[in-house]
Amino acid sequence: MEFNLEVPQDQFFIRSIGEKGIRVNQDYFDKPFIMSGQRIVPEWSVKSVHDISEESLQVLFDLEPEVVLIGTGSTQVFLPPAAQVHFFRRNIGFEVMTTDAACRTFNVLVAEGRQVVAALLPVTP
């Protein structure tokens, strides 16, 4: 799926998502990674939603988001309550959705100037 969006040059945006991975600007990511409009963390130690812990979330929280999008691959899988608590304690909003939906939502929120962080699992394992 190809995304087309007029964007400022000083932000990271997701250009496409497919079998090759998630394309951010000119780079492809085929493993779990984290991104904001200003920064990319190319490797995230989480392989599935069930691996998410306070420790694995800390890198997201360090980016000081107002909202976090978690892309769970080709199927939406909700966060276990134990993981949700870490967002509630910090008053950080979060949404869990398929990775392609998270990519589209990320682009919209970045274009609006929001402090959004996306934690994305690949669509194909």
Side-chain angles (χ1 to χ4, degrees):
M1 170 183 321
E2 184 79 24
F3 299 133
N4 291 309
L5 179 66
E6 296 288 327
V7 297
Q9 297 301 316
D10 62 343
Q11 298 283 328
F12 287 114
F13 283 91
I14 298 166
R15 298 296 183 188
S16 66
I17 183 170
E19 288 183 20
K20 236 176 132 174
I22 299 168
R23 189 175 107 192
V24 179
N25 297 349
Q26 300 307 316
D27 298 318
Y28 283 90
F29 297 87
D30 62 355
K31 293 182 173 44
F33 74 103
I34 296 167
M35 69 180 295
S36 70
Q38 300 80 30
R39 185 164 171 221
I40 293 178
V41 180
E43 293 185 23
W44 190 33
S45 61
V46 170
K47 301 297 179 216
S48 81
V49 170
H50 305 292
D51 295 334
I52 294 176
S53 65
E54 183 173 17
E55 182 180 323
S56 65
L57 291 171
Q58 189 57 52
V59 66
L60 283 79
F61 300 145
D62 288 346
L63 296 172
E64 300 179 356
E66 63 182 88
V67 66
V68 171
L69 305 174
I70 300 176
T72 61
S74 59
T75 306
Q76 183 181 26
V77 180
F78 292 101
L79 283 181
Q84 293 179 27
V85 148
H86 303 298
F87 290 94
F88 298 138
R89 284 186 186 150
R90 291 170 175 81
N91 278 336
I92 296 173
F94 70 97
E95 290 289 334
V96 181
M97 57 191 77
T98 62
T99 296
D100 61 337
C103 290
R104 291 188 304 270
T105 304
F106 176 84
N107 283 349
V108 170
L109 294 177
V110 166
E112 291 176 353
R114 303 278 303 273
Q115 289 299 111
V116 61
V117 169
L120 304 171
L121 299 175
V123 174
T124 55

